[in-house]
Amino acid sequence: MKTHVISVENHDDYISINDKIIWAKSPRILLVWPDHGRVRMLMSDLILIIRKAESVGSQIAVVCDESDIVDLCKQVNVSVFSSIPEAQKHAWRRPKKTRRLIRRSLASGNDTRLTELEKLKQKDIWLLPNWLRIFVFLLSLISVFSLIALFIPSAEIILEPKTIPQQINISIWANPNVQTVNLSGAVPIKKIPIVVQGSIIQKSTGVERVPTQFATGIVEFRNLTNRKIEIPTGTVVRTIGDELVRFVTTKASSLEAGIDTKISVPVTAINAGADGNVQANQIQAIEGEIGGNVVVNNPTALSGGVETKVTAPSTLDYEQARIKLLDQLNNEVKDEFLQEDQSDLFLLLDELTKLDEVLIEKLNPEVGIPSDQFELTMEVRYLVSYLSLTDIRSISTQSLITNLDSGFSLLPETLIIQQEGTPQINSNTEEVQVDITVYQQAIQVIPENEILDQITGQSIDSAAENLAKKFESVTINIQPGFVKRLPLLAFRIKVGIDENGS
């Protein structure tokens, strides 16, 4: 078992030794007396040390060779050893009970300090005469019954408040420039963006000419030099003027040496269509390296270029389709808006719903591309205008409060707003005017503190009579039932509302 060793110094007394015992925190405590010098110790000191050890759950033993200390320890049955190793090897005796030691010490009268302490404990503290004790006892009974009379009775008062209907007519006017609700009837127009998309397919009504055949003919090259000129296949010749028409040779040729030698070469228009049908003497330019040594001309007209008429979407086709598609999307905006949470919607202003921005617009095919039909796809954003139910409730409540009787408050769950007639909407100025009728119940306010001040301590009948003058009905329940008056303490009275009645 763990043993804590405490070295006792010459200057120690039972107080300092007890402090060391408190800090020891061990089941066994060994007090070791000093080898030199003396420690003064009385029976009362040793008893107090034993008591302190017992209070912290420890057992004590002593290592000492002083005869007076050894004798004291034997009297209280505390083990005494000659050395620390001996104390750790042998079993320790349990000290005698401290109460028995105190009685024995008192009987001997040797320890005056212990005698005075014990006598003070045993001294009778009731020094009052008998008649005063009886008076104090009766006074205590009266106090107890007084407290019972104050705190035990409790009362519950159930009141049914009066209710009165409230009604008011309000002319609402709204426009986007109004920012907040005010009592003059102005409310803001709310706007929410809604994105919709759709497409439309229609027949093409435009007509386009599509080149289908190439113009052909003969051109004549004339040599301007004294050397032979080679004219390869694919040599480009063209007309002159604002609108150039190009042709290519379809056969390689050789222009003999000598000034003004000539050769005729077949050509074909580079682009199909009627533009290649040029008159005689219109082709006069050569593109390429030989252009400075040779001149060209078409002695006869070129022909054979043909264009075929086909249908294709025109600009007008797409403009008309755009109008039709936007009209369809405008109708879809309302359905899209109503599919969202509309708990705050009071009035949807269809006339003020406007196109805000075209986000995507696709033409398939483009204008002028041959096709019997075309498709227009659009994604657009609209601004949907409406009047907020929150704003209408706010202005309705404010208007009712200004006309409310004193001592009443509005019941929020009874608010009813009814639109009167058709709203007047100006699409140009975006101003809206609408008339509404507002209905709401007002309930009597119950001033609990004021009621308690008036009825505390009154009889049940008197309190009920006074309260009946102000409220629809009054019910008073008091506990215990034999008490005929309301409690004197206000906190013992509970005031409630008859919700079923109101």
Side-chain angles (χ1 to χ4, degrees), residues 20 31 51 70 88 107 147 203 500:
K20 294 179 181 181
L31 303 178
R51 276 189 171 181
V70 173
Q88 292 178 339
L147 291 175
K203 291 183 178 181
N500 295 328

Side-chain angles (χ1 to χ4, degrees), residues 9-168:
E9 306 295 338
N10 294 332
H11 55 77
D12 282 336
D13 58 8
Y14 80 93
I15 297 177
S16 59
I17 294 175
N18 282 348
D19 290 339
K20 294 179 181 181
I21 290 175
I22 293 175
W23 289 99
K25 297 181 179 179
S26 176
R28 299 206 311 178
I29 299 174
L30 185 61
L31 303 178
V32 180
W33 248 248
D35 293 336
H36 303 286
R38 294 178 61 84
V39 178
R40 185 175 179 274
M41 184 70 62
L42 300 177
M43 175 62 74
S44 60
D45 297 331
L46 187 56
I47 292 174
L48 292 174
I49 292 173
I50 295 173
R51 276 189 171 181
K52 179 57 66 177
E54 290 176 349
S55 67
V56 296
S58 300
Q59 182 181 1
I60 67 169
V62 175
V63 174
C64 180
D65 56 3
E66 294 181 15
S67 58
D68 54 345
I69 299 298
V70 173
D71 291 340
L72 288 176
C73 290
K74 288 181 178 180
Q75 292 180 34
V76 296
N77 205 34
V78 173
S79 299
V80 180
F81 302 98
S82 59
S83 65
I84 295 176
E86 182 185 357
Q88 292 178 339
K89 291 179 181 180
H90 294 83
W92 296 6
R93 296 191 301 272
R94 285 282 180 184
K96 295 180 180 180
K97 297 295 184 178
T98 55
R99 291 182 181 177
R100 185 183 307 168
L101 295 174
I102 291 173
R103 286 197 299 270
R104 185 181 301 172
S105 180
L106 287 173
S108 64
N110 295 328
D111 195 336
T112 57
R113 185 195 315 173
L114 189 63
T115 302
E116 293 299 324
L117 289 175
E118 192 65 21
K119 286 182 178 180
L120 181 60
K121 289 184 179 180
Q122 295 176 355
K123 188 175 182 180
D124 190 359
I125 62 171
W126 288 101
L127 303 178
L128 297 178
N130 291 335
W131 67 269
L132 188 55
R133 294 183 189 180
I134 296 174
F135 175 76
V136 172
F137 174 73
L138 294 177
L139 185 61
S140 301
L141 289 179
I142 294 173
S143 300
V144 170
F145 283 115
S146 299
L147 291 175
I148 292 174
L150 284 174
F151 289 96
I152 288 184
S154 64
E156 181 182 22
I157 301 176
I158 307 299
L159 302 175
E160 180 185 347
K162 297 178 181 179
T163 57
I164 56 174
Q166 300 286 303
Q167 176 180 340
I168 191 171

Side-chain angles (χ1 to χ4, degrees), residues 263-440:
I263 188 171
S264 296
V265 180
V267 295
T268 299
I270 292 178
N271 296 320
D275 291 341
N277 299 329
V278 298
Q279 299 297 319
N281 302 318
Q282 297 296 313
I283 302 175
Q284 298 182 10
I286 303 174
E287 296 180 358
E289 297 178 355
I290 67 173
N293 300 316
V294 179
V295 294
V296 66
N297 188 32
N298 61 314
T300 60
L302 275 71
S303 61
V306 177
E307 294 178 349
T308 303
K309 292 182 178 180
V310 295
T311 57
S314 64
T315 301
L316 180 60
D317 287 340
Y318 275 113
E319 288 178 354
Q320 292 176 346
R322 190 175 191 272
I323 294 173
K324 188 174 182 180
L325 180 57
L326 287 176
D327 187 55
Q328 293 177 2
L329 295 178
N330 187 61
N331 294 331
E332 292 178 8
V333 166
K334 180 178 179 181
D335 297 335
E336 191 76 19
F337 174 75
L338 294 177
Q339 288 178 4
E340 299 181 3
D341 180 17
Q342 298 306 324
S343 57
D344 194 40
L345 174 64
F346 175 73
L347 179 62
L348 180 61
L349 306 174
D350 291 334
E351 294 85 345
L352 300 184
T353 297
K354 294 183 178 180
L355 176 65
D356 181 46
E357 183 181 359
V358 177
L359 304 176
I360 298 175
E361 185 172 6
K362 294 181 180 179
L363 284 62
N364 184 28
E366 295 291 334
V367 174
I369 302 301
S371 177
D372 293 335
Q373 63 181 17
F374 64 93
E375 181 180 17
L376 175 63
T377 302
M378 298 183 72
E379 182 177 310
V380 296
R381 180 173 61 232
Y382 281 86
L383 290 180
V384 179
S385 300
Y386 68 98
L387 297 184
S388 167
L389 182 58
T390 300
D391 292 340
I392 301 300
R393 284 176 174 171
S394 176
I395 195 172
S396 300
T397 302
Q398 293 179 29
S399 300
L400 287 172
I401 289 176
T402 57
N403 298 290
L404 190 63
D405 293 344
S406 176
F408 284 81
S409 65
L410 297 174
L411 285 172
E413 65 275 9
T414 63
L415 178 64
I416 299 175
I417 302 174
Q418 180 177 325
Q419 178 182 329
E420 302 292 344
T422 303
Q424 299 179 8
I425 302 176
N426 189 326
S427 300
N428 296 326
T429 61
E430 295 189 351
E431 293 183 349
V432 178
Q433 182 175 350
V434 58
D435 295 328
I436 62 173
T437 301
V438 182
Y439 306 91
Q440 193 166 14

